[in-house]
Amino acid sequence: EKEVATYKIAAYSDVEAAKSKLTGAGFEVVGTYKGDSGTTVLFTNAAMKSMANKPNRGLAAVGRLLVDDENKQISIANPIYFGKAFMQKEYNHATAASALASLEKAFGPLKNSTDKWEFDGLAGYHFMVGMPYYEDMMVVAEGSTADLVAKAQKAKGTTAVVKLGDDRYVAFVSLDRRTNGFVKKVGAQNGEILPWAVLIEDGKAKALSAKYFIAISYPLLTMSEFMTIATVPGAVEKDLQKVFK
């Protein structure tokens, strides 16, 4: 399809039922995160981890699902949409489509979200001129990979640390409660944007620029709406730096 939905919407169920459907479909549930609008469930499988076990690609290894208590629905981050964005030229459509097919079988029928973007534009996505691309990640800490992983694991509120390779991990860490408030402002229905992912490899802890990740997670966001959360990108960076102090 020319345009791809950012999320796939399924009928509402509780967290335990959602987790059971994921494991029944061959996924490994690696963590859950309670947010203001519901619960994010993080999941992966061997194919997703293998695909993403490459430099700067680890963020594609873990899928996100939101049990949305506010809107009484389940919202699943589309593995094709985020796979294309995060894997860039190394995107593997067979792996992404297989993950989506498994999710459809477990939760289907799935509807497309109103949020969407042109498939061909996802790898080079940026909000507007002068705004960051996928590759413009922020380095929030440096040190040995083992030390950075240990700090992520010990940090208060860490949801999961997933090993992809001998020197590659992806951690899902909590932001300060005040920072988290941006989700309510720009749309609780996409609350699976939290917790924030940090890629740990080659002695660096790297995260997507908040200006990029918020925009690609909310592709219908207008400039005026973005300006209502203008302080959030700086707050996200500070919060992530605290995790690794």
Side-chain angles (χ1 to χ4, degrees):
E1 296 177 33
K2 189 177 181 184
E3 288 190 321
V4 182
T6 313
Y7 304 98
K8 292 287 187 173
I9 309 301
Y12 181 73
S13 69
D14 64 27
V15 174
E16 289 307 312
K19 288 165 65 177
S20 179
K21 287 178 180 180
L22 285 167
T23 54
F27 294 102
E28 174 193 358
V29 173
V30 294
T32 58
Y33 170 89
K34 186 76 175 79
D36 289 337
S37 61
T39 300
T40 301
V41 182
L42 303 172
F43 60 92
T44 188
N45 63 24
M48 292 164 70
K49 287 191 280 191
S50 175
M51 173 189 73
N53 186 21
K54 299 176 178 70
N56 292 319
R57 301 290 179 255
L59 300 177
V62 179
R64 297 171 181 256
L65 175 154
L66 177 69
V67 178
D68 185 345
D69 298 324
E70 195 167 303
N71 297 292
K72 296 300 177 187
Q73 65 183 20
I74 283 182
S75 173
I76 306 168
N78 186 349
I80 291 176
Y81 180 99
F82 287 98
K84 179 66 172 175
F86 294 173
M87 291 301 297
Q88 304 275 296
K89 291 178 181 177
E90 293 164 294
Y91 171 69
N92 184 316
H93 186 68
T95 301
S98 175
L100 179 57
S102 295
L103 291 164
E104 185 106 45
K105 191 173 179 182
F107 292 93
L110 301 178
K111 298 177 185 175
N112 289 332
S113 63
T114 52
D115 292 283
K116 57 189 175 182
W117 201 257
E118 285 191 10
F119 178 77
D120 288 342
L122 284 168
Y125 179 88
H126 64 144
F127 185 59
M128 60 183 293
V129 174
M131 291 287 261
Y133 293 85
Y134 173 83
E135 58 267 25
D136 297 322
M137 291 187 190
M138 48 187 173
V139 176
V140 295
E142 294 189 52
S144 72
T145 297
D147 185 46
L148 294 170
V149 167
K151 286 180 178 178
Q153 288 171 329
K154 289 177 187 173
K156 184 180 177 182
T158 293
T159 301
V161 179
V162 181
K163 183 176 182 178
L164 306 181
D166 289 339
D167 190 47
R168 185 169 295 118
Y169 298 76
V170 59
F172 295 85
V173 301
S174 290
L175 304 176
D176 286 355
R177 184 158 186 80
R178 191 173 171 185
T179 311
N180 288 339
F182 80 87
V183 172
K184 282 282 191 182
K185 277 192 176 183
V186 295
Q189 76 281 357
N190 298 353
E192 62 261 56
I193 190 173
L194 299 176
W196 213 270
V198 179
L199 178 61
I200 301 172
E201 62 182 8
D202 298 328
K204 293 179 181 177
K206 302 178 285 189
L208 292 172
S209 162
K211 290 178 181 178
Y212 168 87
F213 191 37
I214 293 171
I216 202 166
S217 298
Y218 291 87
L220 301 182
L221 202 65
T222 64
M223 189 60 187
S224 59
E225 287 171 325
F226 210 109
M227 290 309 294
T228 67
I229 58 166
T231 61
V232 170
V236 169
E237 186 168 9
K238 286 179 182 176
D239 290 352
L240 296 178
Q241 287 170 343
K242 283 183 204 169
V243 168
F244 295 95
K245 274 190 175 175

